[in-house]
Coordinates of all heavy atoms in Angstrom, one line a residue:
A230 N 220.1 172.2 141.3 CA 220.1 173.0 140.1 C 221.5 173.0 139.4 O 221.5 172.9 138.2 CB 219.8 174.4 140.5
L234 N 220.2 172.0 135.7 CA 220.1 173.1 134.8 C 221.5 173.8 134.5 O 221.8 174.1 133.4 CB 219.1 174.1 135.4 CG 218.8 175.4 134.6 CD1 218.2 175.1 133.2 CD2 217.9 176.3 135.4
L235 N 222.1 174.1 135.7 CA 223.5 174.8 135.6 C 224.5 173.9 134.9 O 225.2 174.4 134.1 CB 223.9 175.3 136.9 CG 223.0 176.3 137.5 CD1 223.6 176.9 138.8 CD2 222.6 177.5 136.6
R238 N 223.8 174.2 131.2 CA 224.2 175.5 130.7 C 225.7 175.5 130.6 O 226.3 176.1 129.6 CB 223.7 176.6 131.7 CG 222.2 176.9 131.5 CD 221.8 178.0 132.5 NE 220.4 178.2 132.5 CZ 219.8 179.0 133.4 NH1 220.4 179.5 134.4 NH2 218.4 179.2 133.3
R248 N 216.6 186.2 126.6 CA 215.3 186.4 127.2 C 214.5 187.6 126.7 O 214.7 188.7 127.2 CB 215.5 186.5 128.8 CG 216.1 185.2 129.3 CD 216.2 185.1 130.8 NE 216.2 183.7 131.2 CZ 216.1 183.3 132.4 NH1 216.1 184.1 133.5 NH2 216.2 182.0 132.7
R274 N 221.7 187.6 128.8 CA 222.4 187.3 130.1 C 223.6 186.4 129.9 O 223.4 185.4 129.2 CB 221.3 186.6 130.9 CG 221.8 186.0 132.2 CD 220.7 185.2 132.8 NE 221.1 184.6 134.0 CZ 220.4 183.6 134.8 NH1 219.2 183.4 134.3 NH2 221.0 183.1 135.8
Y281 N 227.7 182.6 139.5 CA 227.2 181.3 139.3 C 228.2 180.1 139.1 O 227.9 178.9 139.1 CB 226.2 181.2 138.1 CG 224.8 181.8 138.4 CD1 224.7 183.1 138.6 CD2 223.7 181.0 138.3 CE1 223.4 183.6 138.8 CE2 222.4 181.5 138.4 CZ 222.3 182.9 138.7 OH 221.0 183.4 139.0
D385 N 219.7 187.5 135.5 CA 218.6 186.7 136.1 C 217.6 187.7 136.6 O 216.4 187.5 136.4 CB 219.3 185.9 137.2 CG 218.2 185.1 138.0 OD1 217.4 184.5 137.3 OD2 218.3 185.1 139.2
E416 N 213.4 177.2 127.6 CA 212.6 177.0 128.8 C 211.9 178.3 129.2 O 212.4 179.4 128.8 CB 213.6 176.7 130.0 CG 214.8 177.6 130.1 CD 215.5 177.6 131.3 OE1 215.1 177.0 132.3 OE2 216.6 178.2 131.4
V418 N 210.9 181.4 131.5 CA 211.7 182.1 132.5 C 211.4 181.7 133.9 O 212.2 181.6 134.8 CB 211.6 183.7 132.3 CG1 212.4 184.4 133.4 CG2 212.2 184.0 130.9
Ligands
IPM1677 C1 216.5 181.1 136.0 C2 216.6 180.5 137.4 C3 217.9 179.8 137.7 C4 218.9 180.9 137.6 C5 217.9 179.1 139.1 C6 216.9 178.0 139.2 C7 219.3 178.5 139.4 O1 216.2 181.5 138.3 O2 216.6 180.2 135.1 O3 216.4 182.2 135.9 O4 219.2 181.7 138.5 O5 219.6 180.9 136.6

Side-chain angles (χ1 to χ4, degrees):
L234 182 60
L235 299 184
R238 287 177 183 170
R248 297 189 154 182
R274 165 187 180 190
Y281 284 63
D385 177 45
E416 49 165 352
V418 173

